Amino acid sequence: AQKITQTQPGMFVQEKEAVTLDCTYDTSDPSYGLFWYKQPSSGEMIFLIYQGSYDQQNATEGRYSLNFQKARKSANLVISASQLGDSAMYFCAMRDYNNDMRFGAGTRLTVKP
Amino acid sequence: NAGVTQTPKFQVLKTGQSMTLQCAQDMNHEYMSWYRQDPGMGLRLIHYSVGAGITDQGEVPNGYNVSRSTTEDFPLRLLSAAPSQTSVYFCASSGLRGDTQYFGPGTRLTVL
């Protein structure tokens, strides 16, 4: 079964600086999708960005970009120009060809003013 | 467009009771799924469905049943609640090869 690993339980970043949240995955499927979600303290799950395994370019959505290194099986989230509202839990997830989806344990990001 | 709706928002059960968590979506999505989130952890997939009449088990299916009689609805049944099922439950939906997945607001379940 596929596995998602987020090795950073907590991260701190200064407001307006960039931060990278790490995610590695393990799968033998050639076709899969990688997701990042944000979960603020209010509890809802907010979709941030998606990368398909066959996508040639790294995904970007506003201040979010996904650094996809397929050979290394990593899908790191880069948040540029951090804002106080970015403080939250961030989850990496992978959906395989059979639509089975697995989440990492998450990284708690704290943005300092 | 209501998106993904879940009811109830909060529920307290006694050990051994049964109940159904409701989930509905109005986006005509083929794929629907249920997750549980325990404190300090990521989400774990319980069951999922790729269309009406089709369901499959996820990572932690024991103690839960699902059915998918319509595209819109995907209820989750707890057959005999146990304290280990105390958790926050999320329902989600997307297209079959969708590049995003929309989540409901969650149901906080406590089993005493």
Side-chain angles (χ1 to χ4, degrees), chain A residues 13-17 38 40-41 63-64 79-90 109-113:
Chain A
V13 64
Q14 207 68 35
E15 192 178 8
K16 298 181 185 178
E17 292 186 349
K38 172 184 179 181
S41 57
R63 295 187 299 112
Y64 305 106
I79 305 174
S80 63
S82 296
Q83 301 172 356
L84 296 178
D86 293 336
S87 293
M89 284 290 291
Y90 288 81
L109 177 67
T110 302
V111 180
K112 295 182 173 181

Coordinates of all heavy atoms in Angstrom, one line a residue, chain A residues 13-17 38 40-41 63-64 79-90 109-113:
Chain A
V13 N 8.0 30.1 10.5 CA 8.5 31.0 9.4 C 8.1 32.4 9.8 O 7.1 32.7 10.4 CB 7.9 30.6 8.1 CG1 6.4 30.8 8.0 CG2 8.5 31.4 6.9
Q14 N 9.0 33.3 9.4 CA 8.7 34.7 9.6 C 7.8 35.2 8.5 O 7.8 34.8 7.3 CB 10.1 35.5 9.5 CG 10.1 36.8 10.3 CD 10.1 36.6 11.8 OE1 10.6 35.6 12.3 NE2 9.4 37.5 12.5
E15 N 6.9 36.1 8.9 CA 5.9 36.7 8.0 C 6.7 37.3 6.8 O 7.8 37.8 6.9 CB 5.1 37.8 8.7 CG 3.9 38.3 7.9 CD 3.2 39.4 8.7 OE1 3.7 39.8 9.8 OE2 2.1 39.8 8.3
K16 N 6.1 37.1 5.6 CA 6.7 37.6 4.3 C 7.8 36.7 3.8 O 8.2 36.9 2.6 CB 7.1 39.0 4.4 CG 6.0 40.0 4.7 CD 6.4 41.4 4.8 CE 5.3 42.3 5.3 NZ 5.7 43.7 5.4
E17 N 8.3 35.7 4.5 CA 9.3 34.8 4.0 C 8.7 33.6 3.4 O 7.5 33.3 3.6 CB 10.3 34.4 5.1 CG 11.1 35.6 5.6 CD 12.1 35.1 6.6 OE1 12.1 34.0 7.1 OE2 13.0 35.9 7.0
K38 N -4.8 22.3 3.5 CA -4.6 23.2 4.7 C -5.8 22.9 5.7 O -6.9 22.9 5.3 CB -4.6 24.6 4.3 CG -4.5 25.7 5.4 CD -4.6 27.1 4.9 CE -4.6 28.1 6.0 NZ -4.7 29.5 5.4
P40 N -7.0 24.8 9.0 CA -6.9 25.8 10.1 C -7.5 25.3 11.4 O -8.1 24.2 11.4 CB -7.7 27.0 9.5 CG -8.6 26.4 8.5 CD -8.0 25.2 8.0
S41 N -7.3 26.0 12.4 CA -7.8 25.6 13.8 C -9.3 25.4 13.8 O -9.8 24.7 14.6 CB -7.4 26.6 14.8 OG -7.9 27.9 14.5
R63 N 0.2 31.7 -4.3 CA 1.4 31.7 -3.5 C 1.9 30.3 -3.2 O 3.0 30.1 -2.6 CB 1.2 32.4 -2.2 CG 0.9 33.9 -2.3 CD 0.8 34.6 -1.0 NE -0.2 34.1 -0.1 CZ 0.0 33.4 1.0 NH1 1.2 33.1 1.4 NH2 -1.1 33.0 1.7
Y64 N 1.2 29.3 -3.7 CA 1.5 27.9 -3.4 C 2.1 27.3 -4.7 O 1.6 27.5 -5.8 CB 0.3 27.1 -3.0 CG -0.4 27.6 -1.9 CD1 -1.7 28.2 -2.0 CD2 0.1 27.5 -0.6 CE1 -2.4 28.7 -0.9 CE2 -0.6 28.0 0.5 CZ -1.8 28.6 0.3 OH -2.5 29.1 1.4
I79 N 5.4 27.7 0.1 CA 4.5 28.8 0.3 C 5.4 30.1 0.3 O 6.3 30.2 1.0 CB 3.8 28.8 1.7 CG1 3.0 27.4 1.8 CG2 2.8 29.9 1.8 CD1 2.4 27.2 3.2
S80 N 5.1 31.0 -0.7 CA 5.9 32.2 -0.8 C 5.2 33.3 0.0 O 4.0 33.3 0.2 CB 6.0 32.6 -2.3 OG 4.7 32.9 -2.8
A81 N 6.0 34.3 0.4 CA 5.4 35.5 1.1 C 4.4 35.1 2.2 O 3.2 35.5 2.1 CB 4.8 36.4 0.1
S82 N 4.9 34.3 3.2 CA 3.9 33.8 4.2 C 3.1 34.9 4.9 O 3.6 36.1 5.1 CB 4.8 33.1 5.3 OG 5.4 32.0 4.7
Q83 N 1.9 34.6 5.2 CA 1.0 35.5 5.9 C 0.6 34.9 7.2 O 0.6 33.7 7.4 CB -0.2 35.8 5.0 CG 0.1 36.4 3.7 CD -1.1 36.4 2.7 OE1 -2.2 36.0 3.1 NE2 -0.9 37.0 1.6
L84 N 0.1 35.7 8.1 CA -0.3 35.2 9.4 C -1.4 34.2 9.3 O -1.5 33.2 10.0 CB -0.7 36.4 10.3 CG 0.4 37.4 10.7 CD1 -0.2 38.5 11.6 CD2 1.5 36.7 11.5
G85 N -2.2 34.4 8.3 CA -3.3 33.5 8.1 C -2.9 32.1 7.5 O -3.7 31.2 7.4
D86 N -1.6 32.0 7.2 CA -1.1 30.7 6.7 C -0.9 29.7 7.9 O -0.6 28.5 7.7 CB 0.2 30.9 5.9 CG -0.1 31.6 4.6 OD1 -1.2 31.6 4.1 OD2 0.9 32.2 4.1
S87 N -0.9 30.2 9.1 CA -0.7 29.3 10.3 C -1.8 28.3 10.3 O -3.0 28.6 10.4 CB -0.7 30.2 11.6 OG 0.4 31.0 11.6
A88 N -1.4 27.0 10.3 CA -2.4 25.9 10.2 C -1.6 24.6 10.1 O -0.4 24.6 10.1 CB -3.3 26.1 8.9
M89 N -2.4 23.5 10.1 CA -1.9 22.2 9.8 C -1.9 22.0 8.3 O -2.9 22.4 7.6 CB -2.7 21.1 10.4 CG -2.4 20.9 11.9 SD -0.8 20.3 12.3 CE -0.9 18.6 11.7
Y90 N -0.9 21.4 7.7 CA -0.8 21.1 6.3 C -0.6 19.7 6.1 O 0.3 19.1 6.7 CB 0.3 21.9 5.7 CG 0.0 23.4 5.6 CD1 0.2 24.2 6.7 CD2 -0.4 24.0 4.4 CE1 -0.1 25.6 6.6 CE2 -0.7 25.3 4.4 CZ -0.6 26.1 5.5 OH -0.9 27.5 5.4
L109 N 2.3 24.6 10.7 CA 3.1 25.7 10.4 C 2.6 26.9 11.2 O 1.4 27.2 11.4 CB 2.9 26.1 8.9 CG 3.5 27.4 8.4 CD1 5.1 27.2 8.4 CD2 3.1 27.7 7.0
T110 N 3.6 27.6 11.8 CA 3.3 28.8 12.6 C 4.1 30.0 11.9 O 5.3 29.9 11.7 CB 3.8 28.7 14.0 OG1 3.1 27.6 14.6 CG2 3.4 29.9 14.8
V111 N 3.3 31.0 11.5 CA 3.9 32.2 10.9 C 4.1 33.3 12.0 O 3.1 33.6 12.7 CB 3.0 32.7 9.8 CG1 3.6 34.0 9.2 CG2 2.8 31.6 8.7
K112 N 5.3 33.7 12.2 CA 5.6 34.7 13.2 C 5.5 36.1 12.6 O 6.0 36.4 11.5 CB 7.0 34.5 13.8 CG 7.1 33.2 14.5 CD 8.5 33.1 15.1 CE 8.7 31.9 16.0 NZ 10.0 31.8 16.6
P113 N 4.9 37.1 13.4 CA 4.9 38.5 12.9 C 6.2 39.2 12.9 O 7.1 38.7 13.7 CB 3.8 39.1 13.8 CG 3.9 38.3 15.0 CD 4.2 36.9 14.6

